[in-house]
Amino acid sequence: MSEIEVRTAEAAEFEAVGAVFGGAMMFEPTPDDLGRQLFEPERTLVATDDGRIVGTTRALTRDLSVPGAVVDAAHVTGVGVRATHRRRGVMSRLIGQQLRDVPEAIAVLWASEPAIYGRFGYAAAAWGTAYEVDLHRVGPPDGPIRPGELGELTVEEALKELPTLLRRAQEQRPGVSGRSELLWQKHLQDKPDDRGGRTARQILVHRDEAGSIDGYALWRGKMNWIPTGPANEVQVEELVAPDATAYRALWQHLLTMDLSAKLGYGYGAVDEPLLQLVRTPTALDRRVGESLWVRVTDVPQALQQRRYAVPVEVVLDVTDALIESNNGRFRLTADASSVSCERTDAAADLSLSVAELGAAYLGGRQLAEFAATGRVVEQTPGALGRATAAFGWPVAPVSVEIF
Ligand SMILES: CC(C)(COP(=O)(O)OP(=O)(O)OC[C@H]1O[C@@H](n2cnc3c(N)ncnc32)[C@H](O)[C@@H]1OP(=O)(O)O)[C@@H](O)C(=O)NCCC(=O)NCCS
């Protein structure tokens, strides 16, 4: 069998890396200048066989909202192995090295298949809800819409106005990834080939009484005429409205589009407030799936950089099969104003692996959930309840974008 080597990519390998990932995912990559500028070769690993790239993984430099903070998180993407080289441990080598290399205390990703990443200590940390809404039944939010309250922006205007709103959304909800200016440009790119028969992207905004934009929705329509008449489809790609009035007005507008029968939205949280606004919540067909997966790569740093719902002092005995320095006991102490997490010789209150820490990291899954399967073991009576309450968060995490 040939010898596989793993190394850091070079800038000139942008196309080759894209081709391996595109081949693995079965899409035709369309490399462009923005993609090239966003390529971080020094944060990309390639596996080569006889000099030819056969496997890739990339880490993007981005931040992420976590309970009470916005932190650096390695955004892992582009994981692909040529079909001719599958099941020979190529991905395992790439992901193992990547997790040991990344300087951030956590790595996050969207998984194409849930069976892939658990073995590397990743865990689903946020659930996402995909909605398909029957617009004839839903009973949209009502209330008058003030003239001038809603409007549309060009891409150039949106690039100036929308970043602030996403940052405000990060302050409200864990799981939301930040976007640099380049990432915003990429996000708002609207290549006709990528529209899948839908209209160009509409950038809908809501303005408060002073005229400031306090919410936006990115959406597209698709004409559909059936024998009984129009049954158009509305696809909402992103809706960010930190302000409650904006949130209601944007949904009211989108749920009442003329000629339309169906609305799709793929990035709802499990506690999405939309359910409170409609008269018939059962007209929103809901499918819950994994949203963001989290891998804690540096236990003390990761636990120190988020906040906790209630004060806590707990000694965690952590195991990690990939990153040696994460093994051992750590005392986590947190109150309203400070958090510390340090190595200790004290007896453990809870035993768990790094995967359960990842699952609970965004506040969306309970540590206690894992006691039932023995993945978290309570060593000190009462510690599980206290730690579960502290790791929880009042707002469910969700990622609003597949990266
Ligand atoms: C998923 C993928 C990267 C795996 O690469 P690979 O080099 O074959 O993986 P490895 O050989 O290192 O596999 C390690 C283990 O994971 C398992 N595994 C790999 N891919 C899996 C999958 N899709 N589902 C379930 N298990 C999988 C292997 O069976 C192996 O298990 P074992 O250790 O018990 O034998 C590759 O198959 C691929 O490119 N798939 C299509 C693209 C894709 O889904 N990428 C992920 C994007 S998030």
Side-chain angles (χ1 to χ4, degrees):
M1 201 186 278
S2 51
E3 193 62 34
I4 305 287
E5 282 175 29
V6 171
R7 61 165 171 81
T8 305
E10 287 162 21
E13 289 174 322
F14 168 63
E15 270 91 359
V17 166
V20 170
F21 181 58
M25 296 296 281
M26 297 194 193
F27 74 93
E28 198 55 41
T30 48
D32 59 19
D33 203 43
L34 266 179
R36 194 182 309 277
Q37 288 179 65
L38 285 162
F39 183 52
E40 298 180 72
E42 68 289 355
R43 305 205 68 192
T44 300
L45 291 175
V46 294
T48 61
D49 181 4
D50 209 11
R52 187 161 174 252
I53 299 178
V54 295
T56 64
T57 184
R58 299 173 58 187
L60 308 176
T61 304
R62 299 182 69 168
D63 62 31
L64 179 80
S65 56
V66 301
V70 175
V71 306
D72 292 337
H75 282 55
V76 172
T77 185
V79 179
V81 172
R82 272 189 198 281
T84 47
H85 288 70
R86 277 180 306 178
R87 310 301 179 261
R88 286 166 54 181
V90 173
M91 171 186 67
S92 303
R93 284 183 58 190
L94 288 166
I95 298 286
Q97 182 166 331
Q98 181 179 56
L99 287 173
R100 285 185 286 265
D101 284 356
V102 292
E104 296 94 337
I106 57 168
V108 295
L109 55 74
W110 278 80
S112 61
E113 292 183 286
I116 301 178
Y117 294 99
R119 72 191 67 237
F120 304 115
Y122 276 96
W127 306 121
T129 309
Y131 290 108
E132 197 177 291
V133 185
D134 179 341
L135 295 179
H136 294 144
R137 285 182 55 227
V138 68
D142 45 28
I145 290 186
R146 197 172 25 83
E149 200 171 340
L150 294 173
E152 283 175 348
L153 297 188
T154 63
V155 170
E156 289 66 34
E157 290 164 341
L159 286 170
K160 288 197 203 94
E161 300 281 357
L162 307 192
T164 321
L165 294 174
L166 189 68
R167 279 197 291 276
R168 278 178 63 195
Q170 286 189 296
E171 286 162 19
Q172 290 181 344
R173 193 180 280 285
V176 179
S177 300
R179 288 187 198 128
S180 63
E181 207 179 316
L182 270 183
L183 278 164
W184 266 108
Q185 285 177 29
K186 179 88 181 150
H187 195 68
L188 294 178
Q189 223 180 11
D190 186 19
K191 296 181 186 170
D193 283 354
D194 296 341
R195 290 178 189 160
R198 299 196 173 98
T199 62
R201 182 184 294 116
Q202 318 284 307
I203 306 174
L204 176 71
V205 294
H206 180 269
R207 292 178 200 275
D208 65 16
E209 295 200 20
S212 300
I213 295 173
D214 56 2
Y216 70 87
L218 309 179
W219 71 280
R220 299 173 194 274
K222 186 171 186 182
M223 190 170 84
N224 184 28
W225 281 73
I226 55 175
T228 50
N232 289 359
E233 294 169 21
V234 173
Q235 186 64 37
V236 180
E237 296 178 341
E238 183 163 299
L239 189 143
V240 171
D243 178 87
T245 308
Y247 185 83
R248 184 198 56 79
L250 289 166
W251 276 120
Q252 182 180 355
H253 181 79
L254 293 164
L255 292 170
T256 54
M257 288 313 260
D258 289 342
L259 310 181
S260 300
K262 208 162 84 177
L263 177 144
Y265 176 54
Y267 301 100
V270 289
D271 58 358
E272 190 64 43
L274 174 61
L275 286 184
Q276 305 160 38
L277 298 181
V278 300
R279 279 197 295 281
T280 316
T282 50
L284 283 88
D285 222 14
R286 277 174 272 175
R287 239 176 346 147
V288 175
E290 291 96 7
S291 170
L292 212 57
W293 291 64
V294 171
R295 206 310 178 175
V296 171
T297 53
D298 180 334
V299 169
Q301 173 65 19
L303 295 189
Q304 220 159 260
Q305 68 188 8
R306 60 157 282 186
R307 294 295 170 263
Y308 295 84
V310 291
V312 67
E313 180 167 354
V314 65
V315 175
L316 304 169
D317 190 6
V318 182
T319 54
D320 186 335
L322 269 180
I323 301 176
E324 186 49 42
S325 55
N326 279 339
N327 287 284
R329 275 164 281 164
F330 299 90
R331 183 190 299 280
L332 171 69
T333 312
D335 60 25
S337 58
S338 67
V339 184
S340 77
C341 185
E342 278 159 13
R343 200 170 271 287
T344 177
D345 292 329
D349 297 314
L350 293 181
S351 307
L352 74 183
S353 87
V354 79
E356 290 73 63
L357 281 182
Y361 192 75
L362 297 179
R365 290 183 76 181
Q366 306 226 321
L367 280 177
E369 167 192 338
F370 297 96
T373 51
R375 286 175 58 177
V376 172
V377 178
E378 184 180 55
Q379 311 288 1
T380 306
L384 182 60
R386 286 186 279 111
T388 300
F391 274 80
W393 202 247
V395 186
V398 77
S399 171
V400 299
E401 158 199 356
I402 297 180
F403 49 84

